[in-house]
Amino acid sequence: MASPQSSPKYLQAALQLRKNPGQWAAYESTGNCCVLAGPGSGKTKTLVTKLARVMAEDVRSPRGVACITFSNEAARELIRRLRQLGLEQSPRLFVGTVHSFCLLHLLLPFSQLAGLKLPYPLKVATESEAKSIYHAVAAELWAIGKPPGKLDVDRHRRVNLVRDSKAWKQNEAMTGLAEAYENELRKQGLIDFVDIEHYGQRLVNKHDWILKVIRAKFPVLAVDEYQDLGIALDSIVRRLTFDGGVRLIAVGDVDQSVYGFTGANSELLEELSKENGIETTPLKINYRSGTGIIELAQRALGKDRGYESSEPERQASVQTHKCDKGLQHQAEYAMKTLVPAALAAKKGRQLGDIAVLYRNSNVGDAAAIEAVKVKYPFVRIDNAAPYRKVPLTSWVEDCAIWCAEGWKASSPPLHDLQGRWCSFHGGLSDKLRRDAVARITRFLWDHRYDGAALDFVAALRAELLDELITVRPELADQAEHLEGLHKALDREGVLVGTTKAQLGRRDGAPKQLNLLTLHSAKGTEYDVAIILGLDQGEFPSPGWADKSPEKMEEARRLFYVGITRARDEVHLLYSGFKHKPDKYGRIWREGPSQFLDGLLP
């Protein structure tokens, strides 16, 4: 009998799941399963271990598995974890967002065959192109007053899949804008991300032969963060599973559904979990947080989910702090008092173990100002960040750290950079894959020194990336964020003077404080979470739209997400009044956020 050390890596990982009944039940399931995973419950570990088993035992080459998730960063983490178990991206294993799945495996191969009235060849509008087209259309149609925002129109398009439905026709103003915008996209030979979802589900729902093709290629479909992915993906999943016979592995948490403004609906996951033919398994043990934090989080949520800490005796601190002078006082108190105390409280704790969380970039500005004053290096992830984290920019960061010094310790591993480089090219033959690996290896080897990040990024683009982007149109939006990174490093940019080593450490580095929005914090974990701006009228926000029961519940879930990021300490800061006076110069003192009701001492 083989020893655990000589067995495949996924079997070694599976041994660690045996002690948790929920994880083991999910791992052992052989049919359609739905894993309802609370915060810190090891859902990613469970998912990747199960996927590795499915690839090894259940699916024979050339058939494979598709794994869909919500964000590029979530996909990146899944790929990293799968690689640790010996699985690389390949034609047999797809890991990516719902948009990349629909584009690569539905629209590109089948849109013409199915007679969809879409431009050919397909070209996806970048974010800036889509915004520009929308604003031009809105300005033409909406001569008086302020038109609905693009986000609202996109949500209208996402949640109304049937375009001759009553809901689509009833809102004439929104529908008129949506149709005019889509028509202008087509005139310019473009589709956008909402189109990708919409036409992807249309293909699956209207053509039985596509079900057979997908099942032949991917007999198993995994969906991570199901609660965030919306009605189009739910429609695709149900059709593939219940009509097409594709085996489903769904993972999610209804309490962490915080993207309703994009069309996400947590009820879809609840409904799926109750379907006949779906084996549902809850994960109740929290491996991240101490008992005090878990209890506080469930009180804040207003629901007792029965979660327990894996270490019931481990201490966890939850404190509220009133800062009488307002938002800047909150930020100052966090930087001058809470952060130093947190660093001193645990031996070996670094700035990277601490997160300052907030609802929007305005609060982030206050935090950044105070961090600069006390000279804390920080990484900031919100709308004010100089560029967005997408697979391409994250890969560039990792290449930079490898060249600066990481190659000495194989951190990040060279094979990881090579594998991700090949994944940008899509499916490659063995020869083309060898050529791609040789090119990136030669480039990285020739740039093994620290130096200006600007020169490094310019060389990487000139020698490799610009050519790749030209032949891979689905990377156009990521290329726009790469351009943002390049500009941020240039003479007039906010990152001027950054070295390769510094650029490579921008993503959650040990010696940098983390400043990020509550939405961006989803999926992360830290020793200490400091949440700013918990004042009524600020969080939840003052907009009338946010006062609907659905919006209020989503805001409460967002607060819950923030609390559950922490292992050891949670600090909740408020002032009791709105951050800015109204147009008449009045300061509204509405007290702490309603979400603190029952949590204050």
PDB file of all heavy atoms in Angstrom, residues 323-350:
ATOM      1  N   CYS A 323     -15.212  58.186  17.456  1.00  0.00           N
ATOM      2  CA  CYS A 323     -14.255  59.261  17.176  1.00  0.00           C
ATOM      3  C   CYS A 323     -15.062  60.537  16.941  1.00  0.00           C
ATOM      4  O   CYS A 323     -15.641  60.732  15.862  1.00  0.00           O
ATOM      5  CB  CYS A 323     -13.395  58.910  15.970  1.00  0.00           C
ATOM      6  SG  CYS A 323     -12.429  57.397  16.196  1.00  0.00           S
ATOM      7  N   ASP A 324     -15.112  61.414  17.930  1.00  0.00           N
ATOM      8  CA  ASP A 324     -16.067  62.525  17.955  1.00  0.00           C
ATOM      9  C   ASP A 324     -15.874  63.560  16.856  1.00  0.00           C
ATOM     10  O   ASP A 324     -16.793  64.309  16.550  1.00  0.00           O
ATOM     11  CB  ASP A 324     -16.012  63.228  19.315  1.00  0.00           C
ATOM     12  CG  ASP A 324     -16.516  62.330  20.434  1.00  0.00           C
ATOM     13  OD1 ASP A 324     -17.502  61.613  20.194  1.00  0.00           O
ATOM     14  OD2 ASP A 324     -15.917  62.334  21.519  1.00  0.00           O
ATOM     15  N   LYS A 325     -14.672  63.635  16.284  1.00  0.00           N
ATOM     16  CA  LYS A 325     -14.382  64.727  15.356  1.00  0.00           C
ATOM     17  C   LYS A 325     -14.627  64.377  13.881  1.00  0.00           C
ATOM     18  O   LYS A 325     -14.288  65.159  13.003  1.00  0.00           O
ATOM     19  CB  LYS A 325     -12.943  65.192  15.548  1.00  0.00           C
ATOM     20  CG  LYS A 325     -12.668  65.741  16.947  1.00  0.00           C
ATOM     21  CD  LYS A 325     -11.203  66.110  17.115  1.00  0.00           C
ATOM     22  CE  LYS A 325     -10.908  66.561  18.542  1.00  0.00           C
ATOM     23  NZ  LYS A 325      -9.469  66.875  18.735  1.00  0.00           N
ATOM     24  N   GLY A 326     -15.141  63.211  13.619  1.00  0.00           N
ATOM     25  CA  GLY A 326     -15.498  62.889  12.239  1.00  0.00           C
ATOM     26  C   GLY A 326     -14.608  61.867  11.573  1.00  0.00           C
ATOM     27  O   GLY A 326     -13.777  61.196  12.207  1.00  0.00           O
ATOM     28  N   LEU A 327     -14.793  61.752  10.245  1.00  0.00           N
ATOM     29  CA  LEU A 327     -14.128  60.705   9.475  1.00  0.00           C
ATOM     30  C   LEU A 327     -12.615  60.777   9.563  1.00  0.00           C
ATOM     31  O   LEU A 327     -11.947  59.757   9.754  1.00  0.00           O
ATOM     32  CB  LEU A 327     -14.571  60.787   8.008  1.00  0.00           C
ATOM     33  CG  LEU A 327     -13.906  59.788   7.067  1.00  0.00           C
ATOM     34  CD1 LEU A 327     -14.203  58.353   7.488  1.00  0.00           C
ATOM     35  CD2 LEU A 327     -14.354  60.032   5.629  1.00  0.00           C
ATOM     36  N   GLN A 328     -12.048  61.972   9.397  1.00  0.00           N
ATOM     37  CA  GLN A 328     -10.594  62.075   9.432  1.00  0.00           C
ATOM     38  C   GLN A 328     -10.058  61.678  10.809  1.00  0.00           C
ATOM     39  O   GLN A 328      -8.973  61.102  10.921  1.00  0.00           O
ATOM     40  CB  GLN A 328     -10.141  63.490   9.073  1.00  0.00           C
ATOM     41  CG  GLN A 328      -8.759  63.554   8.436  1.00  0.00           C
ATOM     42  CD  GLN A 328      -8.684  62.847   7.084  1.00  0.00           C
ATOM     43  OE1 GLN A 328      -9.560  63.008   6.236  1.00  0.00           O
ATOM     44  NE2 GLN A 328      -7.659  62.025   6.903  1.00  0.00           N
ATOM     45  N   HIS A 329     -10.834  61.942  11.839  1.00  0.00           N
ATOM     46  CA  HIS A 329     -10.474  61.507  13.190  1.00  0.00           C
ATOM     47  C   HIS A 329     -10.473  59.982  13.277  1.00  0.00           C
ATOM     48  O   HIS A 329      -9.574  59.386  13.889  1.00  0.00           O
ATOM     49  CB  HIS A 329     -11.465  62.106  14.193  1.00  0.00           C
ATOM     50  CG  HIS A 329     -11.128  61.819  15.625  1.00  0.00           C
ATOM     51  ND1 HIS A 329     -12.043  61.953  16.642  1.00  0.00           N
ATOM     52  CD2 HIS A 329      -9.983  61.385  16.221  1.00  0.00           C
ATOM     53  CE1 HIS A 329     -11.481  61.629  17.792  1.00  0.00           C
ATOM     54  NE2 HIS A 329     -10.229  61.283  17.569  1.00  0.00           N
ATOM     55  N   GLN A 330     -11.453  59.348  12.644  1.00  0.00           N
ATOM     56  CA  GLN A 330     -11.481  57.884  12.614  1.00  0.00           C
ATOM     57  C   GLN A 330     -10.208  57.330  11.961  1.00  0.00           C
ATOM     58  O   GLN A 330      -9.565  56.408  12.480  1.00  0.00           O
ATOM     59  CB  GLN A 330     -12.698  57.395  11.842  1.00  0.00           C
ATOM     60  CG  GLN A 330     -14.038  57.707  12.476  1.00  0.00           C
ATOM     61  CD  GLN A 330     -15.184  57.213  11.604  1.00  0.00           C
ATOM     62  OE1 GLN A 330     -15.094  56.162  10.959  1.00  0.00           O
ATOM     63  NE2 GLN A 330     -16.280  57.967  11.578  1.00  0.00           N
ATOM     64  N   ALA A 331      -9.864  57.900  10.803  1.00  0.00           N
ATOM     65  CA  ALA A 331      -8.685  57.429  10.078  1.00  0.00           C
ATOM     66  C   ALA A 331      -7.412  57.665  10.893  1.00  0.00           C
ATOM     67  O   ALA A 331      -6.524  56.803  10.949  1.00  0.00           O
ATOM     68  CB  ALA A 331      -8.598  58.129   8.725  1.00  0.00           C
ATOM     69  N   GLU A 332      -7.331  58.832  11.534  1.00  0.00           N
ATOM     70  CA  GLU A 332      -6.158  59.159  12.362  1.00  0.00           C
ATOM     71  C   GLU A 332      -6.045  58.186  13.539  1.00  0.00           C
ATOM     72  O   GLU A 332      -4.954  57.685  13.848  1.00  0.00           O
ATOM     73  CB  GLU A 332      -6.270  60.591  12.879  1.00  0.00           C
ATOM     74  CG  GLU A 332      -5.105  61.017  13.767  1.00  0.00           C
ATOM     75  CD  GLU A 332      -5.299  62.410  14.338  1.00  0.00           C
ATOM     76  OE1 GLU A 332      -6.440  62.905  14.333  1.00  0.00           O
ATOM     77  OE2 GLU A 332      -4.304  62.998  14.794  1.00  0.00           O
ATOM     78  N   TYR A 333      -7.160  57.915  14.203  1.00  0.00           N
ATOM     79  CA  TYR A 333      -7.156  56.994  15.334  1.00  0.00           C
ATOM     80  C   TYR A 333      -6.744  55.591  14.884  1.00  0.00           C
ATOM     81  O   TYR A 333      -5.982  54.888  15.576  1.00  0.00           O
ATOM     82  CB  TYR A 333      -8.542  56.964  15.968  1.00  0.00           C
ATOM     83  CG  TYR A 333      -8.639  56.093  17.192  1.00  0.00           C
ATOM     84  CD1 TYR A 333      -8.105  56.516  18.410  1.00  0.00           C
ATOM     85  CD2 TYR A 333      -9.272  54.857  17.148  1.00  0.00           C
ATOM     86  CE1 TYR A 333      -8.192  55.718  19.542  1.00  0.00           C
ATOM     87  CE2 TYR A 333      -9.363  54.050  18.270  1.00  0.00           C
ATOM     88  CZ  TYR A 333      -8.823  54.486  19.464  1.00  0.00           C
ATOM     89  OH  TYR A 333      -8.901  53.687  20.578  1.00  0.00           O
ATOM     90  N   ALA A 334      -7.224  55.176  13.709  1.00  0.00           N
ATOM     91  CA  ALA A 334      -6.856  53.859  13.189  1.00  0.00           C
ATOM     92  C   ALA A 334      -5.352  53.755  12.968  1.00  0.00           C
ATOM     93  O   ALA A 334      -4.715  52.774  13.371  1.00  0.00           O
ATOM     94  CB  ALA A 334      -7.613  53.589  11.887  1.00  0.00           C
ATOM     95  N   MET A 335      -4.767  54.792  12.345  1.00  0.00           N
ATOM     96  CA  MET A 335      -3.347  54.731  11.986  1.00  0.00           C
ATOM     97  C   MET A 335      -2.415  54.954  13.177  1.00  0.00           C
ATOM     98  O   MET A 335      -1.369  54.315  13.290  1.00  0.00           O
ATOM     99  CB  MET A 335      -3.044  55.768  10.896  1.00  0.00           C
ATOM    100  CG  MET A 335      -3.805  55.547   9.600  1.00  0.00           C
ATOM    101  SD  MET A 335      -3.489  53.909   8.878  1.00  0.00           S
ATOM    102  CE  MET A 335      -4.759  53.887   7.602  1.00  0.00           C
ATOM    103  N   LYS A 336      -2.805  55.855  14.071  1.00  0.00           N
ATOM    104  CA  LYS A 336      -1.898  56.209  15.171  1.00  0.00           C
ATOM    105  C   LYS A 336      -2.071  55.336  16.415  1.00  0.00           C
ATOM    106  O   LYS A 336      -1.141  55.235  17.220  1.00  0.00           O
ATOM    107  CB  LYS A 336      -2.091  57.680  15.546  1.00  0.00           C
ATOM    108  CG  LYS A 336      -1.606  58.653  14.490  1.00  0.00           C
ATOM    109  CD  LYS A 336      -1.708  60.098  14.975  1.00  0.00           C
ATOM    110  CE  LYS A 336      -1.139  61.066  13.938  1.00  0.00           C
ATOM    111  NZ  LYS A 336      -1.241  62.480  14.404  1.00  0.00           N
ATOM    112  N   THR A 337      -3.246  54.735  16.556  1.00  0.00           N
ATOM    113  CA  THR A 337      -3.511  53.965  17.770  1.00  0.00           C
ATOM    114  C   THR A 337      -3.759  52.480  17.488  1.00  0.00           C
ATOM    115  O   THR A 337      -3.073  51.613  18.039  1.00  0.00           O
ATOM    116  CB  THR A 337      -4.723  54.552  18.519  1.00  0.00           C
ATOM    117  OG1 THR A 337      -4.463  55.919  18.829  1.00  0.00           O
ATOM    118  CG2 THR A 337      -4.995  53.786  19.815  1.00  0.00           C
ATOM    119  N   LEU A 338      -4.721  52.186  16.609  1.00  0.00           N
ATOM    120  CA  LEU A 338      -5.121  50.795  16.418  1.00  0.00           C
ATOM    121  C   LEU A 338      -4.076  49.968  15.688  1.00  0.00           C
ATOM    122  O   LEU A 338      -3.791  48.826  16.087  1.00  0.00           O
ATOM    123  CB  LEU A 338      -6.453  50.738  15.663  1.00  0.00           C
ATOM    124  CG  LEU A 338      -7.653  51.356  16.386  1.00  0.00           C
ATOM    125  CD1 LEU A 338      -8.910  51.227  15.534  1.00  0.00           C
ATOM    126  CD2 LEU A 338      -7.865  50.711  17.752  1.00  0.00           C
ATOM    127  N   VAL A 339      -3.501  50.511  14.626  1.00  0.00           N
ATOM    128  CA  VAL A 339      -2.503  49.750  13.877  1.00  0.00           C
ATOM    129  C   VAL A 339      -1.266  49.460  14.732  1.00  0.00           C
ATOM    130  O   VAL A 339      -0.811  48.304  14.800  1.00  0.00           O
ATOM    131  CB  VAL A 339      -2.128  50.464  12.559  1.00  0.00           C
ATOM    132  CG1 VAL A 339      -0.954  49.759  11.882  1.00  0.00           C
ATOM    133  CG2 VAL A 339      -3.334  50.488  11.613  1.00  0.00           C
ATOM    134  N   PRO A 340      -0.668  50.451  15.413  1.00  0.00           N
ATOM    135  CA  PRO A 340       0.486  50.138  16.273  1.00  0.00           C
ATOM    136  C   PRO A 340       0.153  49.111  17.364  1.00  0.00           C
ATOM    137  O   PRO A 340       0.961  48.230  17.662  1.00  0.00           O
ATOM    138  CB  PRO A 340       0.851  51.498  16.884  1.00  0.00           C
ATOM    139  CG  PRO A 340       0.342  52.501  15.921  1.00  0.00           C
ATOM    140  CD  PRO A 340      -0.917  51.905  15.378  1.00  0.00           C
ATOM    141  N   ALA A 341      -1.044  49.233  17.948  1.00  0.00           N
ATOM    142  CA  ALA A 341      -1.437  48.283  18.991  1.00  0.00           C
ATOM    143  C   ALA A 341      -1.578  46.875  18.424  1.00  0.00           C
ATOM    144  O   ALA A 341      -1.180  45.889  19.060  1.00  0.00           O
ATOM    145  CB  ALA A 341      -2.747  48.728  19.630  1.00  0.00           C
ATOM    146  N   ALA A 342      -2.124  46.774  17.219  1.00  0.00           N
ATOM    147  CA  ALA A 342      -2.283  45.464  16.588  1.00  0.00           C
ATOM    148  C   ALA A 342      -0.925  44.840  16.269  1.00  0.00           C
ATOM    149  O   ALA A 342      -0.725  43.635  16.454  1.00  0.00           O
ATOM    150  CB  ALA A 342      -3.114  45.594  15.316  1.00  0.00           C
ATOM    151  N   LEU A 343       0.013  45.649  15.804  1.00  0.00           N
ATOM    152  CA  LEU A 343       1.353  45.137  15.503  1.00  0.00           C
ATOM    153  C   LEU A 343       2.046  44.630  16.762  1.00  0.00           C
ATOM    154  O   LEU A 343       2.772  43.621  16.734  1.00  0.00           O
ATOM    155  CB  LEU A 343       2.193  46.232  14.846  1.00  0.00           C
ATOM    156  CG  LEU A 343       1.779  46.653  13.430  1.00  0.00           C
ATOM    157  CD1 LEU A 343       2.563  47.886  12.988  1.00  0.00           C
ATOM    158  CD2 LEU A 343       1.980  45.511  12.442  1.00  0.00           C
ATOM    159  N   ALA A 344       1.819  45.309  17.881  1.00  0.00           N
ATOM    160  CA  ALA A 344       2.474  44.929  19.133  1.00  0.00           C
ATOM    161  C   ALA A 344       1.805  43.738  19.815  1.00  0.00           C
ATOM    162  O   ALA A 344       2.419  43.073  20.655  1.00  0.00           O
ATOM    163  CB  ALA A 344       2.490  46.118  20.094  1.00  0.00           C
ATOM    164  N   ALA A 345       0.549  43.456  19.445  1.00  0.00           N
ATOM    165  CA  ALA A 345      -0.229  42.447  20.165  1.00  0.00           C
ATOM    166  C   ALA A 345       0.185  41.015  19.846  1.00  0.00           C
ATOM    167  O   ALA A 345      -0.101  40.101  20.623  1.00  0.00           O
ATOM    168  CB  ALA A 345      -1.716  42.630  19.860  1.00  0.00           C
ATOM    169  N   LYS A 346       0.850  40.811  18.729  1.00  0.00           N
ATOM    170  CA  LYS A 346       1.194  39.446  18.332  1.00  0.00           C
ATOM    171  C   LYS A 346       2.585  39.428  17.722  1.00  0.00           C
ATOM    172  O   LYS A 346       2.866  40.184  16.792  1.00  0.00           O
ATOM    173  CB  LYS A 346       0.159  38.924  17.318  1.00  0.00           C
ATOM    174  CG  LYS A 346       0.378  37.492  16.869  1.00  0.00           C
ATOM    175  CD  LYS A 346      -0.740  37.073  15.924  1.00  0.00           C
ATOM    176  CE  LYS A 346      -0.564  35.650  15.434  1.00  0.00           C
ATOM    177  NZ  LYS A 346      -1.640  35.266  14.496  1.00  0.00           N
ATOM    178  N   LYS A 347       3.437  38.595  18.244  1.00  0.00           N
ATOM    179  CA  LYS A 347       4.808  38.499  17.756  1.00  0.00           C
ATOM    180  C   LYS A 347       4.824  38.086  16.291  1.00  0.00           C
ATOM    181  O   LYS A 347       4.143  37.152  15.874  1.00  0.00           O
ATOM    182  CB  LYS A 347       5.594  37.482  18.588  1.00  0.00           C
ATOM    183  CG  LYS A 347       7.067  37.419  18.241  1.00  0.00           C
ATOM    184  CD  LYS A 347       7.811  36.439  19.134  1.00  0.00           C
ATOM    185  CE  LYS A 347       9.291  36.382  18.778  1.00  0.00           C
ATOM    186  NZ  LYS A 347      10.019  35.428  19.646  1.00  0.00           N
ATOM    187  N   GLY A 348       5.595  38.816  15.487  1.00  0.00           N
ATOM    188  CA  GLY A 348       5.722  38.495  14.068  1.00  0.00           C
ATOM    189  C   GLY A 348       4.657  39.098  13.173  1.00  0.00           C
ATOM    190  O   GLY A 348       4.723  38.967  11.949  1.00  0.00           O
ATOM    191  N   ARG A 349       3.651  39.749  13.776  1.00  0.00           N
ATOM    192  CA  ARG A 349       2.598  40.357  12.959  1.00  0.00           C
ATOM    193  C   ARG A 349       3.163  41.535  12.172  1.00  0.00           C
ATOM    194  O   ARG A 349       3.959  42.317  12.682  1.00  0.00           O
ATOM    195  CB  ARG A 349       1.440  40.823  13.827  1.00  0.00           C
ATOM    196  CG  ARG A 349       0.278  41.417  13.033  1.00  0.00           C
ATOM    197  CD  ARG A 349      -0.884  41.754  13.950  1.00  0.00           C
ATOM    198  NE  ARG A 349      -1.617  40.548  14.329  1.00  0.00           N
ATOM    199  CZ  ARG A 349      -2.447  40.479  15.372  1.00  0.00           C
ATOM    200  NH1 ARG A 349      -2.626  41.540  16.146  1.00  0.00           N
ATOM    201  NH2 ARG A 349      -3.090  39.360  15.635  1.00  0.00           N
ATOM    202  N   GLN A 350       2.761  41.656  10.900  1.00  0.00           N
ATOM    203  CA  GLN A 350       3.241  42.716  10.029  1.00  0.00           C
ATOM    204  C   GLN A 350       2.064  43.536   9.506  1.00  0.00           C
ATOM    205  O   GLN A 350       0.894  43.169   9.677  1.00  0.00           O
ATOM    206  CB  GLN A 350       4.031  42.127   8.855  1.00  0.00           C
ATOM    207  CG  GLN A 350       5.238  41.297   9.276  1.00  0.00           C
ATOM    208  CD  GLN A 350       6.030  40.809   8.078  1.00  0.00           C
ATOM    209  OE1 GLN A 350       6.708  41.597   7.419  1.00  0.00           O
ATOM    210  NE2 GLN A 350       5.953  39.527   7.792  1.00  0.00           N
TER     211      GLN A 350
END
